[in-house]
Amino acid sequence: MNTLQSIDYPIYFNNISAELNRFIKQGNYSRFFVLTDEHTAKYCLPLLVENLDDKDNYDLIEINAGEESKSIDFCVGIWKMLIDFGADRNSLLINLGGGVITDLGGFAASTYKRGIDFVHVPTTLLAQVDASVGGKNGIDIFNLKNIIGTFTQPKAVFIEHRFLSTLPARQVKSGLAEMLKHGLIADAAYWRKLKQSDLENLSPELIYDSIAIKNDVVIADPKERGLRKILNFGHTIGHAIESYSLNNDENPLTHGEAVVAGMICETYLSHQKCGLSLTAMQEIIDTLLGLYGKYPLDESTFGQLNDTMRKDKKNQGGKINCSLLSNIGQCEIDNVCTDEELCDSLKYYASLEFEKA
Ligand code: GLY
């Protein structure tokens, strides 16, 4: 598999130790820091550290795993450790972990001393195919996801397939949701190939192809002025469902599970508003429901979900915007959806019949 070139940085695939060592040497960094959480420190850090050429010149910053860490308090904690360790402007932060680590680490690095270099070593499928590519960094605040952040590109991304074997199946499926999305919004052939693949054992090639799709989009529109909004398909409603679940469920939905629920609602809206055929709508919904099942959404929550959608950072001029499909593999941005239309799509989702296998 080749290295992919992103906006102004490479995405390396496998053999990451050699690439990372080469990168650190070439960068002539005064010191480097590895940001991990307790899971990646246990399961992934050994693979990284064992193979580092320059073991003496780094410090570890470990935080708690979980979305709660993607907060200003944890960011302050990282800034403080960088200060205490004497990190200068020629330091490098290596973000080793899932989307929380890459988003938070990218934000902390892009603001520390007005910005130090950082690279991502994503260890979850979700972070490999989505969070680590495209330079979105940020934190959550006031129950709003990613509401504070920067667009700052990493200096490199290192994708290691071996990390995925350390993940629970549910976490892998969370990343798979974004891979399915990539097919739906930009590449019908990929969607079909993915559907026919062994989804329990995702091949490195399928992951590479998914990253390549996202990479093409972010290269064309790094700051989400237009085309990049297609990546938001499923996310307007999905983020609202995710926030609701995080605040109310004992065992909350993963990001991918919430996005799947959002994609089903937005596929319905695509059929209503964007010319998606009934056959295509059924194909998408059957596939997603078959893979992920259904989240029990109750009508009493719709008002709250709508309020969250109103606060979505993707809105403009107080209007709720969705990216919708006109066909499988084709997505149209900036579809203004009324509260009534959004509510209808939630009702449609709640009414879907689903028998557990
Ligand atoms: N996760 C969507 C994007 O990077 O734009």
Side-chain angles (χ1 to χ4, degrees):
M1 257 174 319
N2 301 325
T3 299
L4 278 172
Q5 186 55 36
S6 193
I7 298 161
D8 54 3
Y9 58 94
I11 304 173
Y12 297 108
F13 288 82
N14 304 319
N15 198 18
I16 64 156
S17 307
E19 299 293 2
L20 188 60
N21 278 322
R22 206 160 46 82
F23 177 89
I24 292 172
K25 205 165 184 179
Q26 273 175 1
N28 209 13
Y29 290 105
S30 40
R31 255 197 115 58
F32 59 99
F33 302 87
V34 179
L35 178 67
T36 61
D37 62 39
E38 75 264 27
H39 295 150
T40 51
K42 186 166 167 196
Y43 297 110
C44 305
L45 187 64
L47 196 137
L48 197 84
V49 172
E50 265 165 31
N51 297 303
L52 273 181
D53 287 343
D54 186 2
K55 288 196 188 48
D56 300 331
N57 218 11
Y58 96 100
D59 290 293
L60 191 64
I61 304 177
E62 188 179 319
I63 61 166
N64 300 341
E67 187 74 25
E68 299 74 37
S69 300
K70 215 171 116 179
S71 66
I72 191 66
D73 292 342
F74 275 84
C75 188
V76 169
I78 295 168
W79 288 327
K80 173 147 191 343
M81 287 193 80
L82 289 172
I83 293 167
D84 291 349
F85 283 133
D88 63 19
R89 288 177 106 170
N90 193 35
S91 302
L92 171 74
L93 184 66
I94 300 172
N95 298 313
L96 176 73
V100 169
I101 290 281
T102 58
D103 284 14
L104 173 67
F107 181 67
S110 67
T111 44
Y112 180 75
K113 296 198 174 177
R114 298 206 173 88
I116 58 170
D117 284 2
F118 64 92
V119 297
H120 294 320
V121 186
T123 57
T124 64
L125 182 59
L126 185 61
Q128 291 187 350
V129 299
D130 190 14
S132 65
V133 177
K136 279 188 179 176
N137 312 296
I139 54 169
D140 306 335
I141 199 162
F142 309 128
N143 278 333
L144 297 169
K145 278 175 67 75
N146 304 322
I147 202 82
I148 306 293
T150 66
F151 276 110
T152 311
Q153 302 302 328
K155 290 292 172 205
V157 176
F158 301 86
I159 305 288
E160 172 58 66
H161 196 258
R162 278 179 293 172
F163 287 142
L164 302 184
S165 60
T166 67
L167 290 178
R170 193 170 167 215
Q171 288 306 324
V172 176
K173 241 173 138 183
S174 180
L176 173 64
E178 296 287 354
M179 295 170 69
L180 291 159
K181 181 197 78 180
H182 289 160
L184 287 174
I185 59 173
D187 191 335
Y190 180 70
W191 158 259
R192 302 235 145 81
K193 188 164 134 195
L194 198 51
K195 275 199 333 166
Q196 285 155 12
S197 302
D198 175 5
L199 297 180
E200 313 249 304
N201 293 295
L202 286 166
S203 68
E205 287 72 25
L206 283 172
I207 295 169
Y208 176 93
D209 289 348
S210 175
I211 296 172
I213 294 172
K214 171 155 186 190
N215 192 41
D216 284 347
V217 175
V218 299
I219 288 173
D221 178 20
K223 293 231 167 138
E224 201 170 306
R225 306 281 186 231
L227 178 76
R228 185 168 178 166
K229 294 183 193 172
I230 65 173
L231 296 167
N232 297 331
F233 171 62
H235 284 64
T236 301
I237 299 180
H239 270 159
I241 296 175
E242 184 177 14
S243 297
Y244 174 84
S245 175
L246 276 173
N247 292 324
N248 292 280
D249 295 337
E250 209 168 295
N251 180 17
L253 291 175
T254 61
H255 175 71
E257 287 163 349
V259 165
V260 164
M263 284 199 287
I264 293 175
C265 295
E266 294 182 25
T267 295
Y268 171 82
L269 287 172
S270 300
H271 173 60
Q272 298 295 316
K273 288 172 66 76
C274 210
L276 183 73
S277 71
L278 187 61
T279 323
M281 173 176 105
Q282 268 157 357
E283 176 184 328
I284 298 167
I285 293 178
D286 289 350
T287 305
L288 296 179
L289 270 188
L291 284 169
Y292 291 86
K294 205 180 130 182
Y295 178 64
L297 261 191
D298 190 86
E299 210 161 327
S300 61
T301 63
F302 293 177
Q304 198 177 328
L305 293 174
N306 198 268
D307 285 348
T308 312
M309 288 181 226
R310 293 232 141 264
K311 294 182 191 131
D312 194 297
K313 65 186 175 314
K314 300 187 287 294
N315 298 339
Q316 268 176 337
K319 302 214 162 75
I320 299 178
N321 259 321
C322 288
S323 300
L324 300 177
L325 303 176
S326 52
N327 205 340
I328 293 179
Q330 279 167 26
C331 190
E332 312 285 330
I333 61 169
D334 293 337
N335 292 279
V336 173
C337 294
T338 63
D339 291 352
E340 201 183 355
E341 287 166 336
L342 292 160
C343 185
D344 277 352
S345 77
L346 292 168
K347 272 191 195 148
Y348 171 80
Y349 180 87
S351 74
L352 282 168
E353 303 271 330
F354 173 69
E355 298 271 339
K356 271 199 178 135

